[in-house]
PDB file of all heavy atoms in Angstrom:
ATOM      1  N   LYS C   1     -28.437 -24.635 -29.747  1.00  0.00           N
ATOM      2  CA  LYS C   1     -27.997 -23.240 -29.699  1.00  0.00           C
ATOM      3  C   LYS C   1     -26.940 -22.935 -30.747  1.00  0.00           C
ATOM      4  O   LYS C   1     -26.854 -21.797 -31.247  1.00  0.00           O
ATOM      5  CB  LYS C   1     -27.486 -22.894 -28.305  1.00  0.00           C
ATOM      6  CG  LYS C   1     -26.303 -23.723 -27.847  1.00  0.00           C
ATOM      7  CD  LYS C   1     -25.959 -23.447 -26.383  1.00  0.00           C
ATOM      8  CE  LYS C   1     -24.818 -24.318 -25.892  1.00  0.00           C
ATOM      9  NZ  LYS C   1     -24.542 -24.101 -24.447  1.00  0.00           N
ATOM     10  N   GLN C   2     -26.130 -23.948 -31.113  1.00  0.00           N
ATOM     11  CA  GLN C   2     -25.067 -23.680 -32.076  1.00  0.00           C
ATOM     12  C   GLN C   2     -25.613 -23.440 -33.484  1.00  0.00           C
ATOM     13  O   GLN C   2     -25.202 -22.507 -34.160  1.00  0.00           O
ATOM     14  CB  GLN C   2     -24.066 -24.847 -32.101  1.00  0.00           C
ATOM     15  CG  GLN C   2     -23.277 -25.004 -30.824  1.00  0.00           C
ATOM     16  CD  GLN C   2     -23.909 -26.018 -29.880  1.00  0.00           C
ATOM     17  OE1 GLN C   2     -24.984 -26.545 -30.144  1.00  0.00           O
ATOM     18  NE2 GLN C   2     -23.223 -26.294 -28.776  1.00  0.00           N
ATOM     19  N   ILE C   3     -26.540 -24.291 -33.934  1.00  0.00           N
ATOM     20  CA  ILE C   3     -27.046 -24.103 -35.296  1.00  0.00           C
ATOM     21  C   ILE C   3     -27.892 -22.838 -35.385  1.00  0.00           C
ATOM     22  O   ILE C   3     -27.906 -22.153 -36.411  1.00  0.00           O
ATOM     23  CB  ILE C   3     -27.824 -25.337 -35.800  1.00  0.00           C
ATOM     24  CG1 ILE C   3     -27.998 -25.253 -37.324  1.00  0.00           C
ATOM     25  CG2 ILE C   3     -29.187 -25.469 -35.116  1.00  0.00           C
ATOM     26  CD1 ILE C   3     -28.549 -26.504 -37.953  1.00  0.00           C
ATOM     27  N   ARG C   4     -28.602 -22.494 -34.311  1.00  0.00           N
ATOM     28  CA  ARG C   4     -29.369 -21.246 -34.310  1.00  0.00           C
ATOM     29  C   ARG C   4     -28.417 -20.049 -34.405  1.00  0.00           C
ATOM     30  O   ARG C   4     -28.683 -19.079 -35.112  1.00  0.00           O
ATOM     31  CB  ARG C   4     -30.226 -21.166 -33.056  1.00  0.00           C
ATOM     32  CG  ARG C   4     -31.278 -22.269 -32.963  1.00  0.00           C
ATOM     33  CD  ARG C   4     -32.575 -21.864 -33.594  1.00  0.00           C
ATOM     34  NE  ARG C   4     -33.409 -23.026 -33.903  1.00  0.00           N
ATOM     35  CZ  ARG C   4     -34.673 -22.960 -34.282  1.00  0.00           C
ATOM     36  NH1 ARG C   4     -35.277 -21.791 -34.396  1.00  0.00           N
ATOM     37  NH2 ARG C   4     -35.352 -24.056 -34.581  1.00  0.00           N
ATOM     38  N   SER C   5     -27.296 -20.121 -33.696  1.00  0.00           N
ATOM     39  CA  SER C   5     -26.294 -19.071 -33.770  1.00  0.00           C
ATOM     40  C   SER C   5     -25.684 -19.004 -35.167  1.00  0.00           C
ATOM     41  O   SER C   5     -25.463 -17.908 -35.710  1.00  0.00           O
ATOM     42  CB  SER C   5     -25.202 -19.331 -32.724  1.00  0.00           C
ATOM     43  OG  SER C   5     -24.168 -18.389 -32.826  1.00  0.00           O
ATOM     44  N   TYR C   6     -25.419 -20.169 -35.759  1.00  0.00           N
ATOM     45  CA  TYR C   6     -24.822 -20.223 -37.093  1.00  0.00           C
ATOM     46  C   TYR C   6     -25.762 -19.623 -38.127  1.00  0.00           C
ATOM     47  O   TYR C   6     -25.341 -18.842 -38.988  1.00  0.00           O
ATOM     48  CB  TYR C   6     -24.492 -21.677 -37.429  1.00  0.00           C
ATOM     49  CG  TYR C   6     -23.555 -21.876 -38.598  1.00  0.00           C
ATOM     50  CD1 TYR C   6     -22.397 -21.116 -38.735  1.00  0.00           C
ATOM     51  CD2 TYR C   6     -23.806 -22.849 -39.552  1.00  0.00           C
ATOM     52  CE1 TYR C   6     -21.525 -21.317 -39.792  1.00  0.00           C
ATOM     53  CE2 TYR C   6     -22.935 -23.059 -40.605  1.00  0.00           C
ATOM     54  CZ  TYR C   6     -21.802 -22.287 -40.726  1.00  0.00           C
ATOM     55  OH  TYR C   6     -20.933 -22.495 -41.771  1.00  0.00           O
ATOM     56  N   ARG C   7     -27.029 -19.984 -38.051  1.00  0.00           N
ATOM     57  CA  ARG C   7     -28.021 -19.416 -38.971  1.00  0.00           C
ATOM     58  C   ARG C   7     -28.051 -17.896 -38.834  1.00  0.00           C
ATOM     59  O   ARG C   7     -28.095 -17.170 -39.841  1.00  0.00           O
ATOM     60  CB  ARG C   7     -29.402 -19.990 -38.688  1.00  0.00           C
ATOM     61  CG  ARG C   7     -30.483 -19.442 -39.612  1.00  0.00           C
ATOM     62  CD  ARG C   7     -31.875 -19.813 -39.163  1.00  0.00           C
ATOM     63  NE  ARG C   7     -32.199 -19.251 -37.849  1.00  0.00           N
ATOM     64  CZ  ARG C   7     -33.419 -19.288 -37.308  1.00  0.00           C
ATOM     65  NH1 ARG C   7     -34.419 -19.844 -37.968  1.00  0.00           N
ATOM     66  NH2 ARG C   7     -33.625 -18.759 -36.115  1.00  0.00           N
ATOM     67  N   ASP C   8     -28.035 -17.398 -37.610  1.00  0.00           N
ATOM     68  CA  ASP C   8     -28.065 -15.950 -37.392  1.00  0.00           C
ATOM     69  C   ASP C   8     -26.824 -15.280 -37.977  1.00  0.00           C
ATOM     70  O   ASP C   8     -26.904 -14.197 -38.576  1.00  0.00           O
ATOM     71  CB  ASP C   8     -28.173 -15.633 -35.906  1.00  0.00           C
ATOM     72  CG  ASP C   8     -29.520 -16.028 -35.308  1.00  0.00           C
ATOM     73  OD1 ASP C   8     -30.456 -16.312 -36.097  1.00  0.00           O
ATOM     74  OD2 ASP C   8     -29.632 -16.059 -34.068  1.00  0.00           O
ATOM     75  N   MET C   9     -25.662 -15.904 -37.794  1.00  0.00           N
ATOM     76  CA  MET C   9     -24.426 -15.340 -38.328  1.00  0.00           C
ATOM     77  C   MET C   9     -24.478 -15.263 -39.848  1.00  0.00           C
ATOM     78  O   MET C   9     -24.159 -14.229 -40.459  1.00  0.00           O
ATOM     79  CB  MET C   9     -23.228 -16.181 -37.878  1.00  0.00           C
ATOM     80  CG  MET C   9     -21.893 -15.712 -38.440  1.00  0.00           C
ATOM     81  SD  MET C   9     -20.512 -16.766 -37.935  1.00  0.00           S
ATOM     82  CE  MET C   9     -20.371 -16.320 -36.206  1.00  0.00           C
ATOM     83  N   VAL C  10     -24.884 -16.359 -40.484  1.00  0.00           N
ATOM     84  CA  VAL C  10     -24.952 -16.412 -41.939  1.00  0.00           C
ATOM     85  C   VAL C  10     -26.000 -15.428 -42.469  1.00  0.00           C
ATOM     86  O   VAL C  10     -25.795 -14.756 -43.485  1.00  0.00           O
ATOM     87  CB  VAL C  10     -25.260 -17.848 -42.404  1.00  0.00           C
ATOM     88  CG1 VAL C  10     -25.592 -17.891 -43.891  1.00  0.00           C
ATOM     89  CG2 VAL C  10     -24.082 -18.778 -42.089  1.00  0.00           C
ATOM     90  N   GLY C  11     -27.128 -15.340 -41.784  1.00  0.00           N
ATOM     91  CA  GLY C  11     -28.212 -14.495 -42.247  1.00  0.00           C
ATOM     92  C   GLY C  11     -28.050 -13.023 -41.933  1.00  0.00           C
ATOM     93  O   GLY C  11     -28.805 -12.190 -42.463  1.00  0.00           O
ATOM     94  N   SER C  12     -27.089 -12.677 -41.080  1.00  0.00           N
ATOM     95  CA  SER C  12     -26.922 -11.280 -40.662  1.00  0.00           C
ATOM     96  C   SER C  12     -26.316 -10.399 -41.739  1.00  0.00           C
ATOM     97  O   SER C  12     -26.363  -9.170 -41.641  1.00  0.00           O
ATOM     98  CB  SER C  12     -26.025 -11.221 -39.421  1.00  0.00           C
ATOM     99  OG  SER C  12     -24.681 -11.551 -39.757  1.00  0.00           O
ATOM    100  N   GLY C  13     -25.717 -11.007 -42.745  1.00  0.00           N
ATOM    101  CA  GLY C  13     -25.027 -10.252 -43.783  1.00  0.00           C
ATOM    102  C   GLY C  13     -23.582  -9.966 -43.461  1.00  0.00           C
ATOM    103  O   GLY C  13     -22.861  -9.354 -44.262  1.00  0.00           O
ATOM    104  N   SER C  14     -23.103 -10.418 -42.302  1.00  0.00           N
ATOM    105  CA  SER C  14     -21.720 -10.108 -41.894  1.00  0.00           C
ATOM    106  C   SER C  14     -20.692 -10.716 -42.839  1.00  0.00           C
ATOM    107  O   SER C  14     -19.620 -10.129 -43.050  1.00  0.00           O
ATOM    108  CB  SER C  14     -21.468 -10.572 -40.464  1.00  0.00           C
ATOM    109  OG  SER C  14     -21.657 -11.979 -40.343  1.00  0.00           O
ATOM    110  N   ILE C  15     -20.991 -11.891 -43.424  1.00  0.00           N
ATOM    111  CA  ILE C  15     -20.038 -12.503 -44.363  1.00  0.00           C
ATOM    112  C   ILE C  15     -20.425 -12.195 -45.809  1.00  0.00           C
ATOM    113  O   ILE C  15     -19.855 -12.750 -46.746  1.00  0.00           O
ATOM    114  CB  ILE C  15     -19.906 -14.025 -44.148  1.00  0.00           C
ATOM    115  CG1 ILE C  15     -21.216 -14.750 -44.474  1.00  0.00           C
ATOM    116  CG2 ILE C  15     -19.426 -14.336 -42.740  1.00  0.00           C
ATOM    117  CD1 ILE C  15     -21.071 -16.270 -44.541  1.00  0.00           C
ATOM    118  N   GLY C  16     -21.402 -11.309 -45.991  1.00  0.00           N
ATOM    119  CA  GLY C  16     -21.816 -10.913 -47.330  1.00  0.00           C
ATOM    120  C   GLY C  16     -22.824 -11.859 -47.941  1.00  0.00           C
ATOM    121  O   GLY C  16     -23.516 -12.610 -47.250  1.00  0.00           O
ATOM    122  N   THR C  17     -22.905 -11.837 -49.265  1.00  0.00           N
ATOM    123  CA  THR C  17     -23.832 -12.692 -50.011  1.00  0.00           C
ATOM    124  C   THR C  17     -23.304 -14.117 -50.039  1.00  0.00           C
ATOM    125  O   THR C  17     -22.128 -14.346 -50.355  1.00  0.00           O
ATOM    126  CB  THR C  17     -23.999 -12.180 -51.453  1.00  0.00           C
ATOM    127  OG1 THR C  17     -24.477 -10.835 -51.414  1.00  0.00           O
ATOM    128  CG2 THR C  17     -24.989 -13.045 -52.225  1.00  0.00           C
ATOM    129  N   ILE C  18     -24.147 -15.067 -49.709  1.00  0.00           N
ATOM    130  CA  ILE C  18     -23.732 -16.468 -49.681  1.00  0.00           C
ATOM    131  C   ILE C  18     -23.424 -16.969 -51.087  1.00  0.00           C
ATOM    132  O   ILE C  18     -24.232 -16.820 -52.008  1.00  0.00           O
ATOM    133  CB  ILE C  18     -24.818 -17.350 -49.049  1.00  0.00           C
ATOM    134  CG1 ILE C  18     -25.060 -16.944 -47.592  1.00  0.00           C
ATOM    135  CG2 ILE C  18     -24.426 -18.827 -49.121  1.00  0.00           C
ATOM    136  CD1 ILE C  18     -26.239 -17.650 -46.951  1.00  0.00           C
ATOM    137  N   GLY C  19     -22.238 -17.577 -51.233  1.00  0.00           N
ATOM    138  CA  GLY C  19     -21.868 -18.168 -52.510  1.00  0.00           C
ATOM    139  C   GLY C  19     -21.965 -19.687 -52.490  1.00  0.00           C
ATOM    140  O   GLY C  19     -22.406 -20.311 -53.454  1.00  0.00           O
ATOM    141  N   SER C  20     -21.564 -20.272 -51.357  1.00  0.00           N
ATOM    142  CA  SER C  20     -21.623 -21.735 -51.262  1.00  0.00           C
ATOM    143  C   SER C  20     -21.744 -22.157 -49.813  1.00  0.00           C
ATOM    144  O   SER C  20     -21.353 -21.431 -48.903  1.00  0.00           O
ATOM    145  CB  SER C  20     -20.389 -22.382 -51.897  1.00  0.00           C
ATOM    146  OG  SER C  20     -19.208 -22.005 -51.196  1.00  0.00           O
ATOM    147  N   ILE C  21     -22.280 -23.348 -49.623  1.00  0.00           N
ATOM    148  CA  ILE C  21     -22.399 -23.953 -48.300  1.00  0.00           C
ATOM    149  C   ILE C  21     -21.968 -25.410 -48.438  1.00  0.00           C
ATOM    150  O   ILE C  21     -22.335 -26.092 -49.410  1.00  0.00           O
ATOM    151  CB  ILE C  21     -23.841 -23.818 -47.744  1.00  0.00           C
ATOM    152  CG1 ILE C  21     -23.965 -24.515 -46.384  1.00  0.00           C
ATOM    153  CG2 ILE C  21     -24.875 -24.317 -48.726  1.00  0.00           C
ATOM    154  CD1 ILE C  21     -25.271 -24.214 -45.663  1.00  0.00           C
ATOM    155  N   HIS C  22     -21.174 -25.861 -47.469  1.00  0.00           N
ATOM    156  CA  HIS C  22     -20.574 -27.193 -47.562  1.00  0.00           C
ATOM    157  C   HIS C  22     -20.762 -27.943 -46.250  1.00  0.00           C
ATOM    158  O   HIS C  22     -20.602 -27.373 -45.170  1.00  0.00           O
ATOM    159  CB  HIS C  22     -19.078 -27.073 -47.858  1.00  0.00           C
ATOM    160  CG  HIS C  22     -18.770 -26.175 -49.012  1.00  0.00           C
ATOM    161  ND1 HIS C  22     -18.769 -26.612 -50.320  1.00  0.00           N
ATOM    162  CD2 HIS C  22     -18.489 -24.848 -49.052  1.00  0.00           C
ATOM    163  CE1 HIS C  22     -18.492 -25.599 -51.119  1.00  0.00           C
ATOM    164  NE2 HIS C  22     -18.313 -24.512 -50.376  1.00  0.00           N
ATOM    165  N   ALA C  23     -21.108 -29.221 -46.352  1.00  0.00           N
ATOM    166  CA  ALA C  23     -21.296 -30.057 -45.170  1.00  0.00           C
ATOM    167  C   ALA C  23     -20.571 -31.389 -45.355  1.00  0.00           C
ATOM    168  O   ALA C  23     -20.718 -32.048 -46.388  1.00  0.00           O
ATOM    169  CB  ALA C  23     -22.778 -30.309 -44.915  1.00  0.00           C
ATOM    170  N   ASP C  24     -19.794 -31.759 -44.348  1.00  0.00           N
ATOM    171  CA  ASP C  24     -19.151 -33.076 -44.301  1.00  0.00           C
ATOM    172  C   ASP C  24     -19.768 -33.877 -43.170  1.00  0.00           C
ATOM    173  O   ASP C  24     -19.919 -33.376 -42.048  1.00  0.00           O
ATOM    174  CB  ASP C  24     -17.650 -32.945 -44.038  1.00  0.00           C
ATOM    175  CG  ASP C  24     -16.882 -32.522 -45.271  1.00  0.00           C
ATOM    176  OD1 ASP C  24     -17.443 -32.596 -46.383  1.00  0.00           O
ATOM    177  OD2 ASP C  24     -15.716 -32.104 -45.124  1.00  0.00           O
ATOM    178  N   PHE C  25     -20.113 -35.136 -43.471  1.00  0.00           N
ATOM    179  CA  PHE C  25     -20.691 -36.025 -42.466  1.00  0.00           C
ATOM    180  C   PHE C  25     -20.018 -37.384 -42.600  1.00  0.00           C
ATOM    181  O   PHE C  25     -20.212 -38.086 -43.605  1.00  0.00           O
ATOM    182  CB  PHE C  25     -22.205 -36.155 -42.677  1.00  0.00           C
ATOM    183  CG  PHE C  25     -22.871 -37.125 -41.734  1.00  0.00           C
ATOM    184  CD1 PHE C  25     -23.325 -36.700 -40.487  1.00  0.00           C
ATOM    185  CD2 PHE C  25     -23.034 -38.468 -42.081  1.00  0.00           C
ATOM    186  CE1 PHE C  25     -23.923 -37.604 -39.610  1.00  0.00           C
ATOM    187  CE2 PHE C  25     -23.623 -39.368 -41.213  1.00  0.00           C
ATOM    188  CZ  PHE C  25     -24.073 -38.934 -39.973  1.00  0.00           C
ATOM    189  N   PHE C  26     -19.219 -37.756 -41.613  1.00  0.00           N
ATOM    190  CA  PHE C  26     -18.502 -39.037 -41.652  1.00  0.00           C
ATOM    191  C   PHE C  26     -18.586 -39.710 -40.290  1.00  0.00           C
ATOM    192  O   PHE C  26     -17.996 -39.250 -39.312  1.00  0.00           O
ATOM    193  CB  PHE C  26     -17.037 -38.826 -42.051  1.00  0.00           C
ATOM    194  CG  PHE C  26     -16.863 -38.339 -43.455  1.00  0.00           C
ATOM    195  CD1 PHE C  26     -16.702 -36.986 -43.730  1.00  0.00           C
ATOM    196  CD2 PHE C  26     -16.894 -39.227 -44.521  1.00  0.00           C
ATOM    197  CE1 PHE C  26     -16.554 -36.531 -45.032  1.00  0.00           C
ATOM    198  CE2 PHE C  26     -16.747 -38.790 -45.834  1.00  0.00           C
ATOM    199  CZ  PHE C  26     -16.577 -37.434 -46.090  1.00  0.00           C
ATOM    200  N   LEU C  27     -19.337 -40.810 -40.248  1.00  0.00           N
ATOM    201  CA  LEU C  27     -19.487 -41.593 -39.025  1.00  0.00           C
ATOM    202  C   LEU C  27     -19.501 -43.084 -39.367  1.00  0.00           C
ATOM    203  O   LEU C  27     -19.953 -43.483 -40.446  1.00  0.00           O
ATOM    204  CB  LEU C  27     -20.787 -41.233 -38.302  1.00  0.00           C
ATOM    205  CG  LEU C  27     -20.800 -39.931 -37.495  1.00  0.00           C
ATOM    206  CD1 LEU C  27     -22.210 -39.598 -37.059  1.00  0.00           C
ATOM    207  CD2 LEU C  27     -19.901 -40.049 -36.271  1.00  0.00           C
ATOM    208  N   GLY C  28     -19.041 -43.895 -38.432  1.00  0.00           N
ATOM    209  CA  GLY C  28     -19.124 -45.348 -38.586  1.00  0.00           C
ATOM    210  C   GLY C  28     -20.226 -45.867 -37.687  1.00  0.00           C
ATOM    211  O   GLY C  28     -19.956 -46.229 -36.535  1.00  0.00           O
ATOM    212  N   ALA C  29     -21.445 -45.899 -38.191  1.00  0.00           N
ATOM    213  CA  ALA C  29     -22.613 -46.224 -37.363  1.00  0.00           C
ATOM    214  C   ALA C  29     -23.017 -47.688 -37.553  1.00  0.00           C
ATOM    215  O   ALA C  29     -23.539 -48.066 -38.598  1.00  0.00           O
ATOM    216  CB  ALA C  29     -23.786 -45.304 -37.736  1.00  0.00           C
ATOM    217  N   HIS C  30     -22.776 -48.494 -36.534  1.00  0.00           N
ATOM    218  CA  HIS C  30     -23.083 -49.927 -36.588  1.00  0.00           C
ATOM    219  C   HIS C  30     -24.441 -50.177 -35.925  1.00  0.00           C
ATOM    220  O   HIS C  30     -24.517 -50.611 -34.779  1.00  0.00           O
ATOM    221  CB  HIS C  30     -21.983 -50.733 -35.893  1.00  0.00           C
ATOM    222  CG  HIS C  30     -20.647 -50.629 -36.568  1.00  0.00           C
ATOM    223  ND1 HIS C  30     -20.144 -51.621 -37.383  1.00  0.00           N
ATOM    224  CD2 HIS C  30     -19.716 -49.643 -36.563  1.00  0.00           C
ATOM    225  CE1 HIS C  30     -18.955 -51.261 -37.832  1.00  0.00           C
ATOM    226  NE2 HIS C  30     -18.677 -50.051 -37.350  1.00  0.00           N
ATOM    227  N   PHE C  31     -25.511 -49.897 -36.658  1.00  0.00           N
ATOM    228  CA  PHE C  31     -26.855 -50.018 -36.095  1.00  0.00           C
ATOM    229  C   PHE C  31     -27.328 -51.465 -35.982  1.00  0.00           C
ATOM    230  O   PHE C  31     -27.879 -51.883 -34.989  1.00  0.00           O
ATOM    231  CB  PHE C  31     -27.876 -49.266 -36.968  1.00  0.00           C
ATOM    232  CG  PHE C  31     -27.769 -47.779 -36.904  1.00  0.00           C
ATOM    233  CD1 PHE C  31     -27.201 -47.069 -37.951  1.00  0.00           C
ATOM    234  CD2 PHE C  31     -28.246 -47.073 -35.815  1.00  0.00           C
ATOM    235  CE1 PHE C  31     -27.120 -45.690 -37.908  1.00  0.00           C
ATOM    236  CE2 PHE C  31     -28.168 -45.698 -35.759  1.00  0.00           C
ATOM    237  CZ  PHE C  31     -27.601 -45.009 -36.814  1.00  0.00           C
ATOM    238  N   GLY C  32     -27.156 -52.223 -37.073  1.00  0.00           N
ATOM    239  CA  GLY C  32     -27.895 -53.474 -37.203  1.00  0.00           C
ATOM    240  C   GLY C  32     -29.343 -53.125 -37.529  1.00  0.00           C
ATOM    241  O   GLY C  32     -29.734 -51.956 -37.548  1.00  0.00           O
ATOM    242  N   GLY C  33     -30.152 -54.118 -37.824  1.00  0.00           N
ATOM    243  CA  GLY C  33     -31.561 -53.838 -38.074  1.00  0.00           C
ATOM    244  C   GLY C  33     -31.851 -53.342 -39.480  1.00  0.00           C
ATOM    245  O   GLY C  33     -31.078 -53.586 -40.420  1.00  0.00           O
ATOM    246  N   PHE C  34     -32.959 -52.603 -39.631  1.00  0.00           N
ATOM    247  CA  PHE C  34     -33.480 -52.269 -40.957  1.00  0.00           C
ATOM    248  C   PHE C  34     -32.524 -51.396 -41.772  1.00  0.00           C
ATOM    249  O   PHE C  34     -32.483 -51.500 -42.997  1.00  0.00           O
ATOM    250  CB  PHE C  34     -34.865 -51.615 -40.854  1.00  0.00           C
ATOM    251  CG  PHE C  34     -34.871 -50.194 -40.336  1.00  0.00           C
ATOM    252  CD1 PHE C  34     -34.772 -49.116 -41.209  1.00  0.00           C
ATOM    253  CD2 PHE C  34     -34.996 -49.928 -38.976  1.00  0.00           C
ATOM    254  CE1 PHE C  34     -34.786 -47.810 -40.741  1.00  0.00           C
ATOM    255  CE2 PHE C  34     -35.021 -48.629 -38.506  1.00  0.00           C
ATOM    256  CZ  PHE C  34     -34.909 -47.555 -39.391  1.00  0.00           C
ATOM    257  N   ARG C  35     -31.742 -50.539 -41.129  1.00  0.00           N
ATOM    258  CA  ARG C  35     -30.851 -49.654 -41.878  1.00  0.00           C
ATOM    259  C   ARG C  35     -29.802 -50.451 -42.656  1.00  0.00           C
ATOM    260  O   ARG C  35     -29.436 -50.080 -43.774  1.00  0.00           O
ATOM    261  CB  ARG C  35     -30.168 -48.663 -40.935  1.00  0.00           C
ATOM    262  CG  ARG C  35     -31.113 -47.641 -40.313  1.00  0.00           C
ATOM    263  CD  ARG C  35     -30.375 -46.737 -39.340  1.00  0.00           C
ATOM    264  NE  ARG C  35     -31.249 -45.757 -38.712  1.00  0.00           N
ATOM    265  CZ  ARG C  35     -31.943 -45.974 -37.605  1.00  0.00           C
ATOM    266  NH1 ARG C  35     -31.862 -47.163 -37.001  1.00  0.00           N
ATOM    267  NH2 ARG C  35     -32.715 -45.033 -37.097  1.00  0.00           N
ATOM    268  N   ASP C  36     -29.321 -51.523 -42.068  1.00  0.00           N
ATOM    269  CA  ASP C  36     -28.291 -52.322 -42.733  1.00  0.00           C
ATOM    270  C   ASP C  36     -28.795 -52.953 -44.024  1.00  0.00           C
ATOM    271  O   ASP C  36     -27.993 -53.317 -44.891  1.00  0.00           O
ATOM    272  CB  ASP C  36     -27.790 -53.428 -41.797  1.00  0.00           C
ATOM    273  CG  ASP C  36     -26.874 -52.907 -40.703  1.00  0.00           C
ATOM    274  OD1 ASP C  36     -26.792 -51.670 -40.542  1.00  0.00           O
ATOM    275  OD2 ASP C  36     -26.263 -53.724 -39.993  1.00  0.00           O
ATOM    276  N   ALA C  37     -30.105 -53.093 -44.156  1.00  0.00           N
ATOM    277  CA  ALA C  37     -30.686 -53.738 -45.337  1.00  0.00           C
ATOM    278  C   ALA C  37     -31.235 -52.748 -46.358  1.00  0.00           C
ATOM    279  O   ALA C  37     -31.626 -53.151 -47.451  1.00  0.00           O
ATOM    280  CB  ALA C  37     -31.797 -54.699 -44.907  1.00  0.00           C
ATOM    281  N   MET C  38     -31.270 -51.453 -46.033  1.00  0.00           N
ATOM    282  CA  MET C  38     -31.834 -50.453 -46.936  1.00  0.00           C
ATOM    283  C   MET C  38     -30.978 -50.278 -48.188  1.00  0.00           C
ATOM    284  O   MET C  38     -29.761 -50.462 -48.153  1.00  0.00           O
ATOM    285  CB  MET C  38     -31.971 -49.101 -46.220  1.00  0.00           C
ATOM    286  CG  MET C  38     -33.023 -49.062 -45.136  1.00  0.00           C
ATOM    287  SD  MET C  38     -33.018 -47.479 -44.217  1.00  0.00           S
ATOM    288  CE  MET C  38     -33.594 -46.348 -45.509  1.00  0.00           C
ATOM    289  N   ASP C  39     -31.623 -49.888 -49.304  1.00  0.00           N
ATOM    290  CA  ASP C  39     -30.887 -49.609 -50.538  1.00  0.00           C
ATOM    291  C   ASP C  39     -30.080 -48.324 -50.430  1.00  0.00           C
ATOM    292  O   ASP C  39     -28.988 -48.229 -50.986  1.00  0.00           O
ATOM    293  CB  ASP C  39     -31.852 -49.504 -51.723  1.00  0.00           C
ATOM    294  CG  ASP C  39     -32.487 -50.831 -52.089  1.00  0.00           C
ATOM    295  OD1 ASP C  39     -31.887 -51.882 -51.802  1.00  0.00           O
ATOM    296  OD2 ASP C  39     -33.595 -50.814 -52.674  1.00  0.00           O
ATOM    297  N   ASN C  40     -30.614 -47.318 -49.755  1.00  0.00           N
ATOM    298  CA  ASN C  40     -29.975 -45.999 -49.671  1.00  0.00           C
ATOM    299  C   ASN C  40     -29.956 -45.524 -48.216  1.00  0.00           C
ATOM    300  O   ASN C  40     -30.590 -44.519 -47.873  1.00  0.00           O
ATOM    301  CB  ASN C  40     -30.724 -44.976 -50.523  1.00  0.00           C
ATOM    302  CG  ASN C  40     -31.134 -45.507 -51.882  1.00  0.00           C
ATOM    303  OD1 ASN C  40     -32.237 -46.025 -52.040  1.00  0.00           O
ATOM    304  ND2 ASN C  40     -30.247 -45.386 -52.844  1.00  0.00           N
ATOM    305  N   PRO C  41     -29.262 -46.243 -47.338  1.00  0.00           N
ATOM    306  CA  PRO C  41     -29.372 -45.934 -45.906  1.00  0.00           C
ATOM    307  C   PRO C  41     -28.905 -44.532 -45.540  1.00  0.00           C
ATOM    308  O   PRO C  41     -29.547 -43.855 -44.737  1.00  0.00           O
ATOM    309  CB  PRO C  41     -28.501 -47.007 -45.245  1.00  0.00           C
ATOM    310  CG  PRO C  41     -27.551 -47.443 -46.320  1.00  0.00           C
ATOM    311  CD  PRO C  41     -28.334 -47.359 -47.592  1.00  0.00           C
ATOM    312  N   LEU C  42     -27.804 -44.074 -46.121  1.00  0.00           N
ATOM    313  CA  LEU C  42     -27.292 -42.746 -45.767  1.00  0.00           C
ATOM    314  C   LEU C  42     -28.229 -41.652 -46.249  1.00  0.00           C
ATOM    315  O   LEU C  42     -28.660 -40.790 -45.471  1.00  0.00           O
ATOM    316  CB  LEU C  42     -25.902 -42.542 -46.363  1.00  0.00           C
ATOM    317  CG  LEU C  42     -25.332 -41.127 -46.156  1.00  0.00           C
ATOM    318  CD1 LEU C  42     -24.949 -40.914 -44.701  1.00  0.00           C
ATOM    319  CD2 LEU C  42     -24.153 -40.869 -47.082  1.00  0.00           C
ATOM    320  N   ILE C  43     -28.557 -41.670 -47.533  1.00  0.00           N
ATOM    321  CA  ILE C  43     -29.341 -40.582 -48.120  1.00  0.00           C
ATOM    322  C   ILE C  43     -30.745 -40.535 -47.526  1.00  0.00           C
ATOM    323  O   ILE C  43     -31.231 -39.471 -47.124  1.00  0.00           O
ATOM    324  CB  ILE C  43     -29.419 -40.738 -49.648  1.00  0.00           C
ATOM    325  CG1 ILE C  43     -28.040 -40.512 -50.279  1.00  0.00           C
ATOM    326  CG2 ILE C  43     -30.428 -39.750 -50.239  1.00  0.00           C
ATOM    327  CD1 ILE C  43     -27.505 -39.118 -50.152  1.00  0.00           C
TER     328      ILE C  43
END
């Protein structure tokens, strides 16, 4: 419900024309397994 609300807010024109969008993602994920061996696990 939050991302659907966010999309509606951004798309409504209330903040005007979009100039930039920014996302931060920071987690310490200790999976083990195939992800630990991947060349580009995050991307």
